[in-house]
């Protein structure tokens, strides 16, 4: 794949005035919104809340420059509804896990196809940088040293998790093809095991479930024998890596993930130690196949963009535990955890919660 890359701009001042973030109410999307707003970048956060949650961004609803747009990125009218102008489009919309594909396979396929193409069209019209948030699962189950371009030779599209893998590979292929055909400044980040506050519980063995079970006194359940290896990376470090790639012109897929591997069993034991849980470990049966090993190759991100994870596992786990142990509230005016964020409709299928001081639904120019 042809690659053009320049080093990332300094993190002191992002080079963007306004960004569109699809899937912005999800785990990673909400943290990206937060970081951009803190840096003075205006953000349009688009999400249909099928897997994201309004609570993830409620604390941003009164921030200058932030707008939440409740819409489905697969709708045909989305490129016209998202008028911008934008200098950055971060495309995080899509299934958050294989479980989402199992429950809503057609919607997942639409998000990979129509959703990605709509987001690319918005970026192309504005001349904006486009970055696709992909997943390390696109490279299969690496049992040896991973390479950036490694991918499985076949994909079982009808098996458990198959839709998730196929949608991920298709959205990457579509991004690369669109960039070549239209000259769009597009890139891809492959995200591995990311954890931190606001992450979703996706079944036994996920970090939120391990934390919740530990805080409740145990026992803590992990899948199978818990020997599957993971390369964890705290969400703040992942956000930093994503934004560094976004500030470049790299088309080549870039792995963003932790470099050190640990087993799921060891993750559970670390959480148990930090929470003081007296319950032991229990081993359950996996509901669907999961790669025994997910190992990124962060050398490209390190060498070209100067990115390395900074948050230790102990600090990251403690922040995550503190989040799930506390009240489900961000404090202040937006601490209420129910009710809509959106106001009047702005076009078919689009509802908007505006910038403070602007009428709901007013275009930003």
């Amino acid at each position: 794949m042809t690659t053009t890359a320049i080093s990332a701009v300094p993190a002191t001042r992002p080079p963007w005035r306004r960004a569109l973030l699809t899937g912005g109410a999800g785990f990673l999307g909400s943290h990206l919104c937060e970081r951009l707003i803190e840096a003075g970048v205006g953000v349009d956060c688009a999400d249909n809340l099928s897997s994201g949650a309004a609570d993830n961004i409620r604390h941003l609803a009164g921030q200058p420059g932030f707008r939440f747009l409740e819409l489905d990125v697969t709708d045909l009218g989305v490129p016209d509804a998202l008028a911008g102008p934008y200098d950055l489009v971060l495309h995080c919309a899509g299934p958050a896990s294989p479980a989402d594909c199992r429950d809503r396979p057609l919607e997942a396929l639409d998000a990979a196809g129509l959703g990605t193409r709509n987001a690319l069209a918005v970026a192309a019209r504005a001349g904006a940088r486009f970055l696709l948030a992909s997943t390390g699962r696109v490279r299969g189950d690496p049992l040896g040293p991973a390479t950036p371009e490694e991918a499985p030779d076949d994909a079982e599209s009808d098996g458990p998790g198959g839709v998730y893998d196929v949608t991920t590979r298709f959205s990457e292929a579509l991004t690369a093809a669109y960039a070549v055909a239209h000259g769009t400044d597009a890139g891809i980040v492959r995200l591995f095991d990311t954890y931190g506050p606001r992450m979703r519980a996706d079944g036994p063995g996920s970090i939120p479930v391990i934390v919740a079970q530990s805080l409740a006194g145990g026992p803590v359940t992990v899948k199978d024998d818990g020997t599957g290896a993971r390369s964890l990376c705290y969400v703040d470090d992942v956000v930093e890596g994503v934004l560094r790639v976004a500030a470049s012109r790299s088309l080549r897929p870039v792995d963003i993930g932790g470099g050190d591997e640990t087993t799921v069993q060891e993750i559970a034991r670390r959480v148990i130690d930090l929470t003081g849980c007296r319950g032991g470990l229990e081993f359950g049966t996996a509901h669907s196949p999961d790669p025994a090993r997910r190992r990124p190759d962060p050398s490209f991100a390190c060498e070209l963009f100067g990115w390395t994870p900074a948050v230790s596992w102990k600090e990251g786990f403690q922040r995550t535990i503190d989040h799930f142990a506390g009240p489900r509230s961000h404090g202040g005016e937006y601490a209420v955890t129910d009710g809509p964020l959106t106001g009047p409709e702005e076009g078919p299928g689009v509802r908007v919660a505006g910038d403070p001081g602007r009428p709901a639904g007013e275009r930003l120019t």
Side-chain angles (χ1 to χ4, degrees):
M1 179 181 292
T2 303
T3 303
T4 305
I6 60 173
S7 60
V9 298
T12 53
R13 176 61 186 170
W16 316 291
R17 295 184 61 188
R18 189 155 201 92
L20 168 66
L21 216 156
T22 69
F27 164 48
L28 177 64
S30 66
H31 284 275
L32 284 164
C33 287
E34 194 171 73
R35 179 74 66 87
L36 289 169
I37 288 293
E38 288 174 353
V41 180
V43 173
D44 277 6
C45 168
D47 204 303
N48 67 352
L49 302 180
S50 61
S51 59
D55 280 351
N56 288 343
I57 54 169
R58 195 174 299 277
H59 64 299
L60 299 175
Q63 297 294 318
F66 179 80
R67 291 198 314 172
F68 172 62
L69 298 89
E70 187 174 350
L71 56 79
D72 188 334
V73 293
T74 67
D75 290 344
L76 294 178
V78 160
D80 292 331
L82 298 174
Y86 306 110
D87 355 62
L88 174 66
V89 175
L90 294 175
H91 185 43
C92 301
S97 71
D100 290 333
C101 294
R102 184 170 58 246
D103 298 337
R104 300 184 298 272
L106 295 180
E107 289 85 347
L109 290 164
D110 282 344
L114 295 172
T116 301
R117 183 140 192 174
N118 281 341
L120 282 161
V122 172
R125 181 188 61 212
R129 167 69 164 163
F130 175 91
L131 191 65
L132 170 70
S134 185
T135 172
R137 278 183 63 122
V138 76
R139 286 166 44 191
D141 191 355
L143 297 178
T147 59
E149 299 301 326
E150 182 181 7
D153 294 328
D154 58 348
E156 296 182 5
S157 58
D158 58 345
V163 172
Y164 184 70
D165 297 335
V166 169
T167 57
T168 302
R169 297 179 70 183
F170 179 73
S171 60
E172 284 199 13
L174 178 56
T175 298
Y178 197 100
V180 171
H182 298 278
T184 305
D185 179 11
I188 299 166
V189 284
R190 289 176 177 165
L191 309 177
F192 286 74
D193 293 289
T194 305
Y195 73 100
R198 303 179 213 143
M199 73 182 299
R200 233 176 48 169
D202 286 317
S206 67
I207 289 180
V209 172
I210 291 173
V211 170
Q213 290 175 338
S214 296
L215 291 171
V220 175
T221 304
V222 298
K223 292 191 243 184
D224 294 331
D225 58 1
T227 58
R230 297 291 177 264
S231 300
L232 296 180
C233 193
Y234 188 67
V235 65
D236 286 359
D237 286 329
V238 172
V239 165
E240 178 67 23
V242 168
L243 294 181
R244 289 191 182 215
V245 178
S248 77
R249 294 185 60 86
S250 174
L251 174 60
R252 173 180 173 178
V254 180
D255 285 4
I256 299 293
D260 297 327
E261 288 184 306
T262 189
T263 65
V264 176
Q265 183 178 150
E266 178 60 24
I267 292 168
R269 295 193 186 282
R270 289 177 178 181
V271 172
I272 287 171
D273 289 344
L274 288 173
T275 58
C277 173
R278 296 185 179 182
L281 283 175
E282 289 185 352
F283 301 95
T285 302
H287 296 290
S288 61
D290 198 25
R293 188 178 189 183
R294 290 198 288 261
R295 183 181 178 186
D297 178 3
S299 59
F300 188 62
C302 177
E303 292 168 9
L304 268 71
F305 309 113
W307 177 84
T308 55
V311 179
S312 69
W313 72 262
K314 187 172 183 179
E315 181 182 0
F317 278 21
Q318 191 61 62
R319 292 183 194 176
T320 306
I321 291 167
D322 291 344
H323 170 79
F324 286 104
R328 292 194 59 198
S329 143
H330 297 284
E333 181 180 358
Y334 298 100
V336 179
T337 58
D338 57 4
L341 284 175
T342 52
E345 288 192 3
E346 182 185 82
V350 182
R351 297 181 67 83
V352 180
D355 275 344
R358 294 180 181 269
E362 181 182 341
R363 296 283 189 192
L364 290 175
T365 59

